[in-house]
């Protein structure tokens, strides 16, 4: 009962907020989107991991207190901020948001929120990686609260299908959204710690998760030995880890995905059928991803327009 009440409170709290619109900055900052796009493009030219970093950062922002830029705030004094919570310590590319904000403050001071910058940067990241484009609704406000302890609300790579379904439904997101948004795992890199549970001491009877394809499991164990693996050790999320495509879904069907939460999509008839659909059609995946990204990025919750994305006004 307490869990139900807290989930209702989370949802009602997040559902309130400013209505968003496509032309929110049309009069107040008409070049906002091109300024942000330039910051993302420039950074990606120097570092091909930037798009994956920005997309992950946006997810992690939206799943805690809504898409309010709270993940961008620095820890201060005794308050440890979200970005220093365990699931967020490997987030990177914050400087891209800073660069965009600096350029926007010069063009139209105190107009564009950091939360909107991140939502637009995530879209640009997908486009630069060869994925679909979409019109991002705008008008989010920046939050004033950021707590590392709340980062545990993020869905974990060890989650099973019922835990994933609960985490998404608390935010008004469906199983369709879960299946589509998980496709963001087509981009990026994972450290060993996120999938060690599947390749060492899986349970009391077996060392390796039996749902992992054996030669794939063996290759992961070579990169991530049980002892003495470097903190930086890991593997790309999929072989085309800088290209936004539907390879991820093909890998799920081949039992060659990294996380328990990826494999968990086979655990419900609904998500299993969507995995098959997306594996056979990049277009079907792209359409579903866009629809779910707009839905997720419309969970609002902030109060102000920050001057500096790392500190409250």
């Amino acid at each position: 009962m307490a869990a139900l009440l807290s989930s209702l409170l989370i949802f009602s709290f997040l559902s309130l907020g400013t209505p968003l619109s496509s032309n929110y900055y049309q009069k107040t900052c008409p070049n906002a989107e091109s300024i942000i796009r330039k910051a993302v493009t420039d950074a990606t030219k120097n570092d091909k991991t930037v798009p994956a970093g920005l997309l992950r950062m946006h997810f992690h922002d939206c799943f805690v207190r809504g898409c309010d830029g709270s993940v961008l705030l620095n820890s201060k004094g005794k308050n440890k901020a979200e970005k220093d919570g365990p699931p967020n310590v490997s987030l990177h590319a914050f400087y891209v948001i800073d660069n965009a904000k600096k350029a926007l403050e010069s063009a139209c001071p105190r107009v564009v929120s950091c939360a909107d910058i991140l939502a637009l940067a995530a879209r640009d990241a997908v486009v630069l990686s060869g994925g679909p484009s979409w019109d991002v609704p705008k008008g989010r406000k920046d939050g004033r609260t950021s707590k590392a302890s709340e980062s545990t609300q993020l869905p974990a790579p060890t989650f099973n299908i019922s835990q994933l379904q609960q985490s998404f439904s608390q935010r008004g997101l469906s199983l369709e959204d879960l299946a589509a948004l998980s496709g963001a795992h087509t981009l990026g890199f994972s450290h060993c710690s996120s999938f060690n549970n599947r390749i060492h001491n899986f349970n009391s009877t077996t060392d390796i998760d039996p749902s992992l394809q054996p030669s794939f499991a063996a290759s992961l164990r070579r990169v991530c030995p049980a002892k003495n693996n470097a903190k930086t050790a890991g593997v790309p999320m999929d072989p085309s880890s800088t290209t936004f495509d539907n390879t991820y879904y093909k890998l799920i069907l081949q039992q060659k995905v990294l996380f328990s939460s990826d494999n968990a999509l086979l655990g419900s008839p609904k998500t299993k059928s969507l995995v098959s659909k997306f594996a056979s059609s990049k277009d079907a995946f792209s359409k579903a991803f866009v629809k779910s990204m707009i839905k997720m990025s419309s969970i609002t919750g902030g109060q102000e327009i920050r001057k500096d994305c790392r500190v409250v006004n």
Side-chain angles (χ1 to χ4, degrees):
M1 186 65 192
L4 174 65
L5 278 173
S6 70
S7 71
L8 288 172
L9 283 170
I10 289 171
F11 187 53
S12 61
F13 167 67
L14 294 178
S15 304
L16 302 170
T18 329
L20 307 178
S21 76
S22 303
N23 57 0
Y24 191 82
Y25 297 115
Q26 199 171 339
K27 293 192 170 110
T28 54
C29 195
N31 296 325
E33 296 205 29
S34 58
I35 289 170
I36 295 164
R37 191 178 306 115
K38 184 180 186 304
V40 178
T41 305
D42 289 351
T44 303
K45 282 176 189 164
N46 295 322
D47 180 358
K48 294 285 179 273
T49 71
V50 159
L54 292 171
L55 186 54
R56 183 166 177 247
M57 194 188 297
H58 180 49
F59 279 122
H60 284 219
D61 185 33
C62 293
F63 263 71
V64 180
R65 294 184 170 264
C67 315
D68 67 342
S70 53
V71 76
L72 304 171
L73 289 169
N74 284 346
S75 295
K76 187 182 178 186
K78 288 183 179 175
N79 182 59
K80 198 174 171 190
E82 266 172 60
K83 63 163 64 164
D84 293 321
N88 288 332
V89 289
S90 58
L91 288 179
H92 71 290
F94 290 101
Y95 71 92
V96 182
I97 305 301
D98 294 335
N99 291 349
K101 183 62 171 170
K102 191 176 177 186
L104 285 164
E105 285 301 302
S106 172
C108 25
R110 305 298 277 273
V111 171
V112 183
S113 68
C114 300
D116 272 352
I117 296 171
L118 183 50
L120 287 158
R123 186 271 314 272
D124 296 339
V126 171
V127 175
L128 283 171
S129 306
S133 187
W134 65 95
D135 199 3
V136 177
K138 295 164 282 287
R140 293 164 194 78
K141 295 287 193 289
D142 296 323
R144 293 180 54 81
T145 304
S146 183
K147 296 177 184 293
S149 58
E150 293 181 354
S151 66
T152 56
Q153 294 170 13
L154 289 162
T158 53
F159 272 15
N160 62 32
I161 190 65
S162 60
Q163 291 170 308
L164 289 167
Q165 184 173 4
Q166 183 184 19
S167 176
F168 274 65
S169 68
Q170 282 177 353
R171 291 153 181 86
L173 300 171
S174 65
L175 282 173
E176 287 92 336
D177 300 318
L178 166 63
L181 293 172
S182 294
H185 287 168
T186 179
L187 295 179
F189 174 91
S190 171
H191 292 101
C192 298
S193 56
S194 294
F195 55 86
N196 261 339
N197 66 304
R198 302 186 75 200
I199 57 170
H200 302 294
N201 303 315
F202 179 66
N203 62 25
S204 57
T205 54
T206 178
D207 207 25
I208 298 170
D209 183 344
S211 67
L212 266 176
Q213 200 269 347
S215 62
F216 179 63
S219 71
L220 294 179
R221 280 167 67 100
R222 282 193 293 275
V223 177
C224 307
K227 290 179 182 165
N228 303 325
N229 76 44
K231 281 193 174 170
T232 54
V235 291
M237 294 296 285
D238 80 17
S240 56
S241 65
T242 57
T243 306
F244 193 92
D245 56 25
N246 62 336
T247 305
Y248 165 79
Y249 296 101
K250 296 173 185 176
L251 294 171
I252 293 177
L253 296 174
Q254 294 165 23
Q255 298 188 304
K256 291 181 178 178
V257 277
L258 295 176
F259 301 162
S260 299
S261 59
D262 296 326
N263 186 63
L265 296 181
L266 298 174
S268 125
K270 178 76 182 171
T271 49
K272 188 177 183 178
S273 74
L274 288 166
V275 167
S276 298
K277 180 182 176 183
F278 298 156
S280 60
S281 169
K282 186 184 174 187
D283 187 54
F285 163 50
S286 293
K287 286 194 169 89
F289 184 80
V290 164
K291 186 179 169 189
S292 294
M293 277 295 281
I294 291 170
K295 191 172 166 186
M296 180 194 74
S297 75
S298 300
I299 306 169
T300 55
Q303 302 84 36
E304 66 181 24
I305 310 287
R306 271 180 231 146
K307 187 179 179 183
D308 176 341
C309 291
R310 293 172 181 260
V311 293
V312 297
N313 291 341

